[in-house]
Amino acid sequence: MKLNFYFTGAALLLVQAGFIYGQNPLPVSQKQATREWVTLMEDPNANFYDIKQKFEEYWQGKTIRPGKGWKPFKRWENFWESRVFPSGTFPKPSIAYEEFTQYKNLQASLKSMLPDNSNWTALGPSVVPTNGGAGRINCIRFHPTNTNIIFIGAASGGLWKTTDGGSTWSSNTDGLQVLGVTDFLIDPTNTNIMYLATGDGDAGDTYSVGVLKSTDGGATWNATGLSWTVNQGRRISKMIMHPSNSSIILAATSNGVYKTINGGTSWTQELVANIKDIEFKPGDPTVVYAARIAFYKSTDTGDNFSQITSGVPTSNVGRFAIGVTANDATYVYLLASNDTDDGLLGVYRSTDSGNNFSTRATTPNLLGWDYDGSDAGGQGWYDLSIAVNPFNKDDVYVGGVNHWRSTNGGTSWTSISHWYGCCGKPYVHADVHALEFLPGSSTTIFSGNDGGFFKTTNNGTSWSDLSAGLSVTQIYRLGLSATNANLALNGNQDNGTNRVSSGTWTRVIGGDGMECIIDYNNANTMYGELYYGEIRKSTNGGSSFSSTIVYSGGSGVDEDGDWVTPYIMHPTNSSTLLVGKSQVYKTTDGGTNWSQIGTISGGTGNIIALAYAPSDPVNIYAAKRDKLYYSSNSGSTWNDRTSGLPVASASITYIAVDPANTQRVWVTFSGYSSGNKVYYSSNAGTSWSNFSGTLPNIPANTIVYEQGSSDGLYIGMDVGVYYRNSSMGDWQTFMNNLPNVIVNELEIHYGSSKIRAATYGRGLWESPLYSAGTPPVAQFSASKTAVCGGLTINFTDLSTNSPTSWSWTINGGTPSSSTAQNPSGVVFNTPGTYTISLIATNAAGNDTETKTNYITVNNCSTKVRTADCGITLSDLNQAIYCDPVSGATNWEWEWVHAASGFSKTVLRN
């Protein structure tokens, strides 16, 4: 489908400033088709290609513009297409968690595996880029006793916490096997108990494992009975906790309403329907409201539900959102999008606890992108939020692309923000997923949206961005400067293309950012890209990107590429670039003129990967999802080199070529075909060998070869980074301190000897390159090896080769584990023999020493010899015994002199 773009003068200025840009308006008359694809997206039994077909049928003949749901779908399509290829069948939502856990267990059992000597650190953005946003936020929750403590869930970046109302943020969920968070609850009777709804409820483009539970304030998380490993659903959208019985929780999921009465141990399905929103009646939790395309009510705490139809639309509904208020518990608001173009269907209100509703408004279009609601359409399937003032039942707020307010119970509406600050409206980033009043306030409201976390203290008259400190950017691709280690570009989902220069982040192109390149000869020349291959060029270091060199008609390449269209720079002539769309196109003048090189035939879809052979760039590799091509004559002719690759069960994702040998090439694969993650050829693809080793059965997204190394290769997967070289028989984890996040692209900066990772949800990271080094040899000793119950032991690290971190497992002791170098004061209470283990780590790796049955703890209720008590005396002629008195606050010791028969009883602490 050819997409046409045009800009008014104002819109063009917004583009250059880095804001999301506009496209041709959607004709108001085109509302005849329904969006069956929206329903299918949440059906775990639907086929990906059926959903895609329904989407394309819906958009046939329509003109695309932002705020109408086209981009959110395309992001979802891009995420899943390579992962479900070629069958179109969706995997179990928990598959990434399960496969990575299985891989870790395998690694632990293979003693020959070398240690992980990576050391990743975050590069940001943690400060919101100028003119930009941080990333997508799905939920907002408050601590039950301190409203300055706020938790927010990121679509693919984990759970974040502020203790000062949003001034600073921290996260401790990087170790979870999945980082998508769609909702969060805290037990008000014990705030150490927390519940986490995993995945991405609105967009569905991250994994879910169901609901997790923590009993230690979020330090560790464990599965509950609502686990997608046993119950096949795909999304959880919301959870609510009974206000007076915290063991009762209800969850709205794409597979129905689930209820637990025992704190998550077991769940029952109480309503069979796709549910997006759920609320208790304020003050009366026996009444529960639930909705998606129908509205349901329960009067028995969610055990049974009945559909309510009086005054509630039962057709043409795309999605409902529910609003309630403590100011009048009988009031229930429904915000509804329609199922034709996802614009506003209406606002409805009940004043009798949800039994009957009346229509409050059907205009303006609260879900569109225009500041005055004069446009048609929207994306209600993706962003739909409503909040009612807890102190004023007629004060209602709506979030779609923009924010709106009604002060008369939903009858009339006023715009209170705009996605780029048009027409006197305050700027708040587009696409609102969460709206919450500050508990106890009638004026302070928080918004979680595609750009981060925003706050108003005056009911929307003005807003402030509190996203600084959040590192949740979903990066598609990155580009590094060869000459400046402090300069980079990265393209992000819904938050444009960002430039980082010496730690300062600036959004230099709007929309969704894709592949980036910085000229290795002149860092002032940069290339950025929007979806489908609209490439833009800057010649002033990114201060402006005024020239669209591809996808503009005329001398450009006037066709769509893939969502993330590949383009690459010639390794010795930076004015020569290739771009892959349906064919491969070439420019030799920095993008002024383009021409097709050769003809590629066969395969599915567009080109998705390109690679020059650096040592002789007349050799080029190109790939579609199911085809690999090779040219030895600068692209004049292409040869199919697919034979021997597992394209019948997995999708090609990336290509790496040995910088010193044009014939040596590695190709990575997405999907869940076990053992098919990377293939190697020594003869330009004439034959292939499986190079996957024991890599986990999760998608492999990117691969990079370290020049000058002994075949050093790094792979980025849906969980982390892995390394292998010619001295290794298998891949090793390379992800110390890296979150368990999707890695979309890896690039090496040779000047600083660092590798950088573009992650999908946790921003940009870097690590020193692999170094063999000398790992430590773990050794330790104990101050005593036999004690009475209740006594303490100190442990001393004796490891060699300078370890920098320690991990102790102290069976039988309190604490039972430690990261101190020399744990002291470890108490042993229970009689028995115990095994102690130490893992010592440095940049080169780690080593483990385990001493089996090393510590003996005796039951000292009867007399035992001194050596078994841990007592040392200078007079070796004495025979010493210990005899603790049960219940005493001190130990009572009986000293006996063996030679004279003298005895004395003393009390000792």
Side-chain angles (χ1 to χ4, degrees):
M1 177 176 62
K2 170 68 172 68
L3 307 182
N4 294 312
F5 300 83
Y6 75 97
F7 303 100
T8 65
L12 182 56
L13 290 174
L14 291 168
V15 174
Q16 294 171 346
F19 292 92
I20 302 171
Y21 56 87
Q23 302 166 13
N24 291 347
L26 177 69
V28 175
S29 61
Q30 291 185 345
K31 294 182 62 177
Q32 69 278 7
T34 60
R35 331 105 60 247
E36 186 179 356
W37 49 274
V38 175
T39 302
L40 290 175
M41 283 173 68
E42 299 183 9
D43 180 356
N45 299 312
N47 186 278
F48 171 84
Y49 297 108
D50 291 339
I51 299 171
K52 184 175 180 178
Q53 180 181 347
K54 293 297 183 182
F55 177 85
E56 291 170 349
E57 290 173 354
Y58 170 81
W59 280 100
Q60 186 65 39
K62 294 181 173 69
T63 307
I64 295 156
R65 93 182 217 188
K68 307 307 175 187
W70 180 82
K71 283 205 300 181
F73 176 87
K74 286 298 180 179
R75 298 172 192 146
W76 173 90
E77 177 188 51
N78 171 258
F79 181 85
W80 284 111
E81 187 159 19
S82 63
R83 289 168 173 82
V84 302
F85 180 88
S87 69
T89 300
F90 288 95
K92 185 162 53 175
S94 58
I95 190 167
Y97 172 87
E98 294 173 0
E99 294 292 342
F100 184 64
T101 300
Q102 179 178 326
Y103 173 77
K104 287 200 302 181
N105 293 337
L106 174 64
Q107 290 280 87
S109 69
L110 297 176
K111 303 300 184 183
S112 61
M113 301 300 281
L114 296 175
D116 182 343
N117 68 0
S118 61
N119 183 21
W120 292 90
T121 56
L123 296 180
S126 56
V127 177
V128 179
T130 305
N131 299 327
R136 180 148 58 92
I137 302 304
N138 278 342
C139 65
I140 303 168
R141 295 291 189 180
F142 301 92
H143 193 280
T145 62
N146 185 346
T147 57
N148 278 320
I149 301 177
I150 307 171
F151 296 84
I152 61 175
S156 55
L159 181 70
W160 290 75
K161 175 183 178 181
T162 177
T163 59
D164 50 20
S167 296
T168 59
W169 294 93
S170 63
S171 176
N172 69 346
T173 55
D174 285 345
L176 293 180
Q177 270 69 30
V178 291
L179 292 188
V181 174
T182 198
D183 206 1
F184 173 76
L185 295 175
I186 308 177
D187 185 340
T189 66
N190 181 354
T191 56
N192 282 322
I193 298 177
M194 303 172 171
Y195 299 86
L196 197 68
T198 60
D200 180 15
D202 276 343
D205 63 357
T206 54
Y207 298 97
S208 175
V209 293
V211 175
L212 302 178
K213 181 178 181 178
S214 174
T215 57
D216 54 12
T220 59
W221 295 88
N222 297 291
T224 68
L226 187 55
S227 168
W228 295 148
T229 61
V230 295
N231 197 306
Q232 287 311 292
R234 287 234 306 277
R235 303 189 197 180
I236 303 170
S237 294
K238 190 173 183 180
M239 302 184 296
I240 55 175
M241 180 180 286
H242 193 286
S244 59
N245 186 344
S246 58
S247 293
I248 299 176
I249 300 171
L250 297 170
T253 84
S254 58
N255 205 37
V257 173
Y258 286 81
K259 179 180 179 181
T260 178
I261 60 173
N262 52 21
T265 301
S266 60
W267 299 73
T268 56
Q269 187 180 27
E270 307 292 7
L271 175 62
V272 181
N274 186 341
I275 300 298
K276 296 293 290 185
D277 201 2
I278 190 166
E279 294 282 356
F280 283 118
K281 178 181 177 180
D284 183 7
T286 62
V287 178
V288 184
Y289 310 114
R292 182 183 173 266
I293 61 172
F295 177 74
Y296 301 91
K297 179 179 178 179
S298 170
T299 57
D300 53 10
T301 320
D303 289 339
N304 298 278
F305 285 88
S306 299
Q307 184 178 349
I308 303 297
T309 59
S310 177
V312 180
T314 56
S315 61
N316 201 30
V317 178
R319 175 178 166 185
F320 283 119
I322 306 169
V324 296
T325 174
N327 180 239
D328 190 332
T330 66
Y331 270 48
V332 184
Y333 287 88
L334 292 177
L335 171 66
S337 63
N338 66 56
D339 67 353
T340 54
D341 62 12
D342 284 292
L344 180 69
L345 181 62
V347 179
Y348 309 87
R349 188 179 75 179
S350 169
T351 59
D352 59 3
S353 302
N355 292 320
N356 301 277
F357 285 82
S358 61
T359 302
R360 304 297 290 173
T362 57
T363 59
N365 180 21
L366 307 180
L367 305 183
W369 75 322
D370 281 354
Y371 80 97
D372 59 359
S374 60
D375 60 332
Q379 46 195 40
W381 70 271
Y382 172 69
D383 47 43
L384 191 74
S385 301
I386 186 170
V388 187
N389 194 321
F391 298 96
N392 183 346
K393 62 188 178 183
D394 291 316
D395 190 22
V396 188
Y397 299 78
V398 160
V401 176
N402 301 311
H403 295 82
W404 294 76
R405 180 187 185 188
S406 172
T407 57
N408 56 10
T411 300
S412 59
W413 294 86
T414 301
S415 172
I416 57 171
S417 79
H418 189 259
W419 57 273
Y420 66 79
C422 170
C423 314
K425 305 297 180 181
Y427 161 74
V428 180
H429 197 284
D431 305 338
V432 183
H433 300 277
L435 273 180
E436 300 288 346
F437 271 87
L438 179 71
S441 175
S442 64
T443 59
T444 298
I445 311 165
F446 296 93
S447 171
N449 49 61
D450 276 7
F453 184 70
F454 288 71
K455 174 184 179 180
T456 175
T457 59
N458 50 21
N459 301 99
T461 301
S462 60
W463 295 81
S464 54
D465 188 346
L466 302 183
S467 306
L470 296 175
S471 183
V472 295
T473 306
Q474 295 166 290
I475 304 180
Y476 286 120
R477 294 287 187 268
L478 78 155
L480 304 181
S481 167
T483 58
N484 184 351
N486 298 312
L487 180 65
L489 291 175
N490 56 79
N492 315 297
Q493 183 186 109
D494 204 53
N495 284 282
T497 297
N498 289 334
R499 179 194 62 199
V500 57
S501 179
S502 299
T504 299
W505 292 79
T506 304
R507 183 175 173 180
V508 293
I509 305 176
D512 285 60
M514 305 297 170
E515 183 64 88
C516 309
I517 295 177
I518 299 175
D519 190 324
Y520 50 80
N521 287 322
N522 181 359
N524 284 322
T525 300
M526 300 177 170
Y527 300 86
E529 181 187 37
L530 286 85
Y531 45 78
Y532 285 162
E534 180 181 340
I535 301 173
R536 298 182 179 179
K537 181 178 181 179
S538 172
T539 57
N540 55 15
S543 296
S544 63
F545 283 77
S546 58
S547 174
T548 302
I549 60 171
V550 175
Y551 194 57
S552 61
S555 61
V557 183
D558 198 14
E559 65 176 52
D560 290 342
D562 206 58
W563 178 252
V564 183
T565 294
Y567 65 103
I568 57 175
M569 183 175 285
H570 192 282
T572 60
N573 184 346
S574 61
S575 294
T576 297
L577 294 91
L578 303 179
V579 63
K581 296 203 172 186
S582 65
Q583 300 291 327
V584 178
Y585 298 87
K586 178 179 180 180
T587 178
T588 58
D589 52 16
T592 302
N593 297 283
W594 294 82
S595 59
Q596 180 178 329
I597 54 172
T599 299
I600 287 178
S601 59
T604 301
N606 289 301
I607 304 295
I608 53 88
L610 285 169
Y612 273 114
S615 60
D616 188 358
V618 299
N619 296 272
I620 308 169
Y621 295 86
K624 296 186 177 182
R625 298 191 191 281
D626 57 353
K627 288 286 185 181
L628 193 285
Y629 306 92
Y630 168 68
S631 173
S632 59
N633 53 16
S634 299
S636 296
T637 58
W638 295 93
N639 300 296
D640 187 338
R641 296 294 171 87
T642 310
S643 179
L645 294 175
V647 293
S649 58
S651 172
I652 296 173
T653 53
Y654 216 90
I655 306 167
V657 185
D658 183 341
N661 188 330
T662 65
Q663 302 292 291
R664 303 181 74 224
V665 59
W666 291 261
V667 177
T668 54
F669 290 84
S670 186
Y672 308 94
S673 177
S674 181
N676 292 319
K677 302 304 162 190
V678 55
Y679 276 67
Y680 163 68
S681 175
S682 61
N683 50 23
T686 301
S687 61
W688 295 91
S689 60
N690 194 331
F691 205 67
S692 303
T694 60
L695 284 170
N697 186 18
I698 55 178
N701 306 312
T702 182
I703 183 169
V704 62
Y705 186 106
E706 181 185 349
Q707 68 183 31
S709 69
S710 179
D711 285 349
L713 292 160
Y714 302 82
I715 282 185
M717 303 188 79
D718 268 8
V719 182
V721 178
Y722 306 80
Y723 176 80
R724 183 174 181 176
N725 64 33
S726 60
S727 69
M728 299 174 177
D730 201 354
W731 295 89
Q732 315 291 321
T733 56
F734 193 79
M735 47 195 300
N736 281 335
N737 303 318
L738 181 71
N740 288 335
V741 67
I742 294 170
V743 176
N744 275 334
E745 190 169 43
L746 295 167
E747 288 197 13
I748 295 173
H749 188 268
Y750 290 98
S752 59
S753 298
K754 298 288 182 67
I755 184 169
R756 291 179 178 164
T759 76
Y760 191 67
R762 288 290 278 109
L764 185 64
W765 290 70
E766 76 171 10
S767 168
L769 293 168
Y770 176 86
S771 173
T774 304
V777 176
Q779 301 176 65
F780 65 89
S781 66
S783 59
K784 307 178 184 78
T785 58
V787 293
C788 286
L791 294 184
T792 63
I793 294 178
N794 301 327
F795 293 93
T796 302
D797 167 52
L798 302 174
S799 303
T800 61
N801 298 331
S802 303
T804 56
S805 63
W806 301 263
S807 177
W808 296 82
T809 300
I810 309 172
N811 293 300
T814 302
S816 61
S817 63
S818 176
T819 57
Q821 181 178 6
N822 301 304
S824 61
V826 179
V827 180
F828 288 84
N829 289 308
T830 305
T833 56
Y834 297 103
T835 297
I836 311 299
S837 179
L838 167 64
I839 302 174
T841 302
N842 64 19
N846 57 55
D847 185 49
T848 302
E849 180 176 45
T850 299
K851 295 187 177 183
T852 303
N853 298 331
Y854 182 55
I855 300 296
T856 299
V857 180
N858 290 291
N859 182 353
C860 293
S861 61
T862 59
K863 295 179 181 179
V864 295
R865 289 191 62 81
T866 306
D868 298 322
C869 302
I871 299 173
T872 301
L873 293 178
S874 59
D875 187 350
L876 298 180
N877 292 323
Q878 293 174 332
I880 307 303
Y881 298 84
C882 55
D883 186 10
V885 177
S886 177
T889 58
N890 296 319
W891 295 101
E892 180 180 329
W893 307 100
E894 181 180 6
W895 290 24
V896 180
H897 193 279
S900 65
F902 171 80
S903 66
K904 182 180 180 180
T905 300
V906 297
L907 291 178
R908 292 179 51 163
N909 289 330

